[in-house]
Amino acid sequence: MSSLIRKLEHFARLSEADRAILDRAGSERVRKFGPRVDIAREGDRPKDVHLVLSGWACRYKQLEDGRRQVVSFFLPGDLCDLNIFILREMDHSIGTITSVNIADLSREFFDEISTRYPRIIAALWWESLVNAAIQREWTMNLGQRTASERMAHLLCELFFRLRVAGLTHEDSCEFPLTQADLADATGLSKVHVNRTLQELRSTGLIVLKGKTLVVPNLERLMNAGLFNANYLHLEREGRQLDAND
């Protein structure tokens, strides 16, 4: 739960009571999933909001012939479909990339914080709006950026999001995505992904060591991807407000 709290506190300074109820919710109904399995499938009837406690997952759509489009990545501290209760059935699937721990958050939990913890609700609205902004940026990525710009932009976004959650170490971070994952997320073929990664490596923009990504110069990678972090809305005036204001 610490990754979610750290992220939400980019918007609001949470109180001890706020953190306590979030910690409680993140420890009561926890499930473990192995890598490359579905947490929820398209057509399922949603019951809970899934909070990623650890590991990486993704939201995806799949055609009948097996072609898949990854439409977002879930990192530790991310909530999957905050407003899922209003839907009759899932219109997409959520699958794991690595082993994942999930906390299932009930409708009753959200009813409770809606009436008693307004600062958490305000921060969750911020998180929901940031997710919508990320989806708009992914549309721009697929429609307008070149392959190298597309890949550099995605790597920058993931690095920034991991850093917000406290999951980077200086210029490096965990990076368990395969070239097939990157192809499904960027709309490129696996051959094109391989060629694009080699280009980014050869110019010194990234270093990939096993399942670790190293970004020697983040500003250079941002320039290569035409990346502007404004859509992540990390610098908010509300971040300076006390939880009890």
Side-chain angles (χ1 to χ4, degrees), residues 204-225:
L205 291 173
I206 63 168
V207 178
L208 284 172
K209 299 178 180 178
K211 294 184 178 181
T212 299
L213 169 68
V214 180
V215 182
N217 188 318
L218 183 57
E219 185 175 355
R220 283 188 63 213
L221 187 63
M222 290 170 65
N223 290 337

Side-chain angles (χ1 to χ4, degrees), residues 40-43 59-61 81 84 87 90-94:
R41 293 188 177 93
E42 186 170 354
R59 188 198 321 272
Y60 70 91
K61 296 280 291 184
D81 301 312
I84 198 68
L87 299 180
M90 296 286 291
D91 57 27
H92 60 274
S93 299
I94 298 172

Side-chain angles (χ1 to χ4, degrees), residues 76-189:
D78 284 346
L79 291 158
C80 308
D81 301 312
L82 184 57
N83 300 306
I84 198 68
F85 301 118
I86 66 174
L87 299 180
R88 293 186 62 183
E89 64 178 38
M90 296 286 291
D91 57 27
H92 60 274
S93 299
I94 298 172
T96 64
I97 293 169
T98 65
S99 295
V100 168
N101 284 347
I102 292 287
D104 292 324
L105 307 182
S106 67
R107 180 191 294 269
E108 289 74 22
F109 165 73
F110 286 97
D111 288 342
E112 181 180 2
I113 63 173
S114 295
T115 56
R116 298 179 55 196
Y117 300 90
R119 185 63 60 171
I120 296 178
I121 291 299
L124 289 176
W125 272 112
W126 167 81
E127 199 248 4
S128 181
L129 292 171
V130 169
N131 286 337
I134 289 173
Q135 292 300 147
R136 289 191 289 272
E137 200 67 26
W138 276 46
T139 301
M140 174 65 80
N141 228 23
L142 291 172
Q144 297 299 326
R145 291 188 177 95
T146 65
S148 59
E149 291 168 350
R150 201 177 297 185
M151 189 64 65
H153 192 281
L154 177 60
L155 297 180
C156 284
E157 179 187 291
L158 292 171
F159 191 87
F160 268 82
R161 289 172 58 196
L162 288 166
R163 189 164 69 178
V164 167
L167 298 172
T168 58
H169 180 68
E170 296 179 351
D171 61 355
S172 67
C173 64
E174 178 188 6
F175 196 77
L177 300 180
T178 66
Q179 291 188 12
D181 295 325
L182 293 171
D184 289 345
T186 58
L188 303 171
S189 69

Side-chain angles (χ1 to χ4, degrees), residues 217-236:
N217 188 318
L218 183 57
E219 185 175 355
R220 283 188 63 213
L221 187 63
M222 290 170 65
N223 290 337
L226 308 179
F227 183 87
N228 185 335
N230 65 345
Y231 71 99
L232 298 175
H233 300 285
L234 299 178
E235 298 300 329
R236 297 289 299 166

